[in-house]
Amino acid sequence: MPLTILSQAQLRALLLSLTKDEIVSLQENLARSLQDYSTGNQENGCSSAYQPQRTAITRRNGCTTLFMPASTGLTLGMKMISLQDGGTAGCAVAAGVDLPEVDKALLRSRGPRSSMASVSSEASEMSMSSQEEGEAGSSTTSSSTPSLPSGCVNKLPVNTGISGTMGAWPGAGSRDTSPQGSVTLLDGESLPFGLINAHELTPFRTALTSMMVFNKRKRVRTIVVFGAGKQAYWHIRLALVLRSAEIKRVFIINRSFERAAQLLRDIYAPENSSWRGDVKFSAVSNDFGEYTRVIHDAIHKADAIFCCTPSIEPLFPARLITAGEGRRKGRLISAIGSYKPHMTELDPDILREEINISHSHRHFHKHVKRSGVVVVDSLDAALKEAGEIIQAEVQPNQVVELGELLMVRHAGRDLTQEDSDSKSLREWVERGNVIYKSVGLGLMDLVTGGDLVQLARLRKIGTTVEDF
């Protein structure tokens, strides 16, 4: 059995060479696996019943290493990644939370039609705001907040005056926090066929998954990205590759001026012109004097918000989403950076507002109604590891897995005539408030990694050991 080895540089070269059609193909294959994961059907090799528990150890130096085994029924995988997060030394098995049996039966054996009943019933009452108004009219603060010019960091053009200020504000957000490690892939006979550096694979497969909901959104003119590392880069790149014609503005927000500037310089490199297009980019750090006003304007204009940081405190105030003007439009909010109970990129009040389905007598004109659920990649893992979910005290019946959502969407396409529940669900996914929280699955690395190994072999990329 030949073994294909992909180093960090080799994998990055492969990922940068992917066409839109190849990215879509990778995404569709991963989506099918996530659907199988959520069905609970043990005839499907990707089912959660076949996914072993992950284990974490933290060494005395504060470095946490995750061991993430996975299975598709045909292949096996083990991902080992380490992160410097200052944890307490020890070992923990990330077992699923102790859900009541009735909840497990409901969440693991329900059919596609009933699995999203709570979402459909809430979505049917949504009063959608007009999503076709111009960008200038989407926020009443836009007239009072100075607009950032295209390609700038803290109001400085990206190609002038930057180098002299690099490193002026070192510290938080100034280093690459992407996990280091590898993914080992085995075939049905447990023979290794792939060994991949995980430094680039992890952010790529995470962004590939986030784009599954992003692809369904009707309006994606303005995007806000928190972070300036590889997760931020791949979320921006895949969003533009998949929907560049519709995206007009991207805000990059990071604690470090230097890293925000570097990410913008990377995006403006000549070789990226094909996917960058005519999108206007602006980047800002917390040290910027007008930071509060800029982030207020950016959040209110945002159609999609991607949080890509290992933050232990909310990245922006909840009121920008939950109060007054913030309620006038639906947004996709994807939080993928935090992975421990004490971490939280989103204020728990944002999640509480979303899951609170008690009906008030107060009428909000043109305000988007709440769905009553938070979308996650894995129910068990999110309830145990996701700080936002835990701190907001989100209950199992207020969570729906992405695979379940994809199943219902697929079932709806097969109907000759869309019923009211399917229509309400579609409107919520396309225009409503959708909060997606991801903590990552070894299954994602196994499926996407296996596909990338096949592409690498076709393109003669990587190192192959013929008789390993």
Side-chain angles (χ1 to χ4, degrees):
M1 168 62 67
L3 172 69
T4 298
I5 303 171
L6 293 175
S7 68
Q8 179 181 339
Q10 290 168 336
L11 179 60
R12 182 170 177 81
L14 174 61
L15 295 178
L16 294 179
S17 72
L18 295 176
T19 66
K20 178 179 179 179
D21 288 343
E22 288 171 334
I23 291 172
V24 170
S25 179
L26 290 171
Q27 189 178 59
E28 289 176 345
N29 196 23
L30 180 56
R32 285 190 292 269
S33 299
L34 292 177
Q35 290 177 45
D36 289 346
Y37 174 84
S38 295
T39 60
N41 184 353
Q42 296 191 13
E43 293 182 1
N44 297 323
C46 294
S47 169
S48 61
Y50 287 105
Q51 306 310 313
Q53 297 177 358
R54 70 175 71 182
T55 300
I57 62 170
T58 301
R59 288 174 279 173
R60 293 184 181 276
N61 63 2
C63 182
T64 297
T65 299
L66 301 177
F67 299 84
M68 303 169 63
S71 170
T72 66
L74 297 176
T75 57
L76 302 170
M78 171 61 81
K79 179 179 184 179
M80 294 177 288
I81 54 171
S82 296
L83 310 97
Q84 188 69 41
D85 59 1
T88 303
C91 178
V93 177
V97 296
D98 187 17
L99 298 178
E101 288 304 317
V102 63
D103 287 335
K104 288 182 178 178
L106 172 65
L107 295 168
R108 294 300 184 203
S109 64
R110 58 192 175 184
R113 180 56 54 199
S114 61
S115 64
M116 294 291 291
S118 61
V119 176
S120 298
S121 61
E122 280 302 304
S124 64
E125 300 179 7
M126 288 192 299
S127 174
M128 307 307 301
S129 64
S130 172
Q131 298 288 319
E132 305 304 326
E133 52 187 302
E135 183 175 334
S138 64
S139 173
T140 58
T141 62
S142 58
S143 60
S144 59
T145 302
S147 297
L148 292 174
S150 172
C152 67
V153 178
N154 291 2
K155 282 192 170 181
L156 296 177
V158 69
N159 55 355
T160 61
I162 294 286
S163 59
T165 60
M166 286 292 195
W169 296 283
S174 61
R175 62 184 177 85
D176 188 356
T177 57
S178 302
Q180 301 282 358
S182 65
V183 177
T184 303
L185 308 174
L186 299 88
D187 65 13
E189 297 180 355
S190 297
L191 296 175
F193 70 88
L195 178 61
I196 307 175
N197 186 296
H199 193 63
E200 204 81 37
L201 177 61
T202 300
F204 175 79
R205 59 80 155 152
T206 303
L208 195 68
T209 307
S210 295
M211 292 302 120
M212 292 178 189
V213 181
F214 180 79
N215 285 344
K216 306 298 182 183
R217 302 296 289 180
K218 277 293 186 182
R219 179 185 172 95
V220 291
R221 288 173 57 87
T222 302
I223 297 174
V224 173
V225 179
F226 286 90
K230 291 185 179 295
Q231 289 282 9
Y233 175 84
W234 281 110
H235 275 77
I236 293 170
R237 183 178 180 118
L238 292 187
L240 292 179
V241 168
L242 295 171
R243 303 189 65 173
S244 59
E246 303 161 73
I247 299 171
K248 305 301 180 185
R249 192 71 181 270
V250 175
F251 290 90
I252 300 171
I253 302 172
N254 190 59
R255 291 176 296 177
S256 164
F257 179 93
E258 179 181 352
R259 282 180 61 77
Q262 185 57 55
L263 175 58
L264 203 54
R265 292 166 73 90
D266 289 345
I267 291 173
Y268 271 87
E271 62 268 23
N272 292 327
S273 60
S274 61
W275 61 266
R276 185 182 66 239
D278 297 325
V279 176
K280 296 180 180 179
F281 290 84
S282 298
V284 63
S285 72
N286 302 49
D287 304 284
F288 184 31
E290 297 183 14
Y291 176 79
T292 300
R293 285 192 294 169
V294 170
I295 195 173
H296 184 278
D297 188 46
I299 293 296
H300 280 182
K301 288 180 177 179
D303 299 300
I305 302 172
F306 297 115
C307 302
C308 307
T309 76
S311 180
I312 60 174
E313 58 186 24
L315 298 172
F316 57 90
R319 57 179 173 78
L320 297 183
I321 299 292
T322 63
E325 185 183 350
R327 297 175 56 112
R328 291 184 180 273
K329 65 184 297 183
R331 298 173 182 83
L332 166 63
I333 305 177
S334 180
I336 55 85
S338 61
Y339 56 92
K340 284 191 173 184
H342 73 284
M343 295 179 169
T344 176
E345 297 178 287
L346 301 178
D347 191 312
D349 284 345
I350 294 177
L351 279 72
R352 294 189 188 106
E353 177 81 1
E354 189 65 27
I355 64 176
N356 180 13
I357 59 175
S358 60
H359 300 287
S360 171
H361 294 295
R362 183 181 177 188
H363 175 67
F364 294 96
H365 178 61
K366 286 187 176 181
H367 284 184
V368 179
K369 295 292 184 179
R370 299 177 292 275
S371 63
V373 299
V374 175
V375 182
V376 299
D377 48 3
S378 168
L379 171 69
D380 292 348
L383 290 174
K384 183 176 180 63
E385 301 171 13
E388 292 89 349
I389 301 288
I390 295 169
Q391 295 179 35
E393 299 181 334
V394 177
Q395 300 303 306
N397 65 339
Q398 297 167 327
V399 173
V400 62
E401 287 181 344
L402 177 59
E404 293 180 290
L405 186 62
L406 295 172
M407 281 192 296
V408 177
R409 291 281 300 165
H410 181 76
R413 289 197 301 268
D414 294 335
L415 298 176
T416 56
Q417 185 173 0
E418 192 174 41
D419 59 30
S420 59
D421 280 351
S422 296
K423 182 178 180 180
S424 296
L425 176 61
R426 176 178 55 80
E427 289 178 345
W428 169 62
V429 172
E430 293 178 351
R431 298 177 180 272
N433 279 321
V434 179
I435 298 176
Y436 170 62
K437 174 60 193 173
S438 171
V439 293
L441 287 170
L443 180 64
M444 298 175 182
D445 302 284
L446 175 56
V447 173
T448 302
D451 289 342
L452 290 172
V453 165
Q454 299 305 317
L455 283 173
R457 289 177 176 176
L458 290 174
R459 298 186 183 183
K460 308 298 183 182
I461 296 176
T463 303
T464 298
V465 181
E466 290 298 338
D467 295 315
F468 184 81

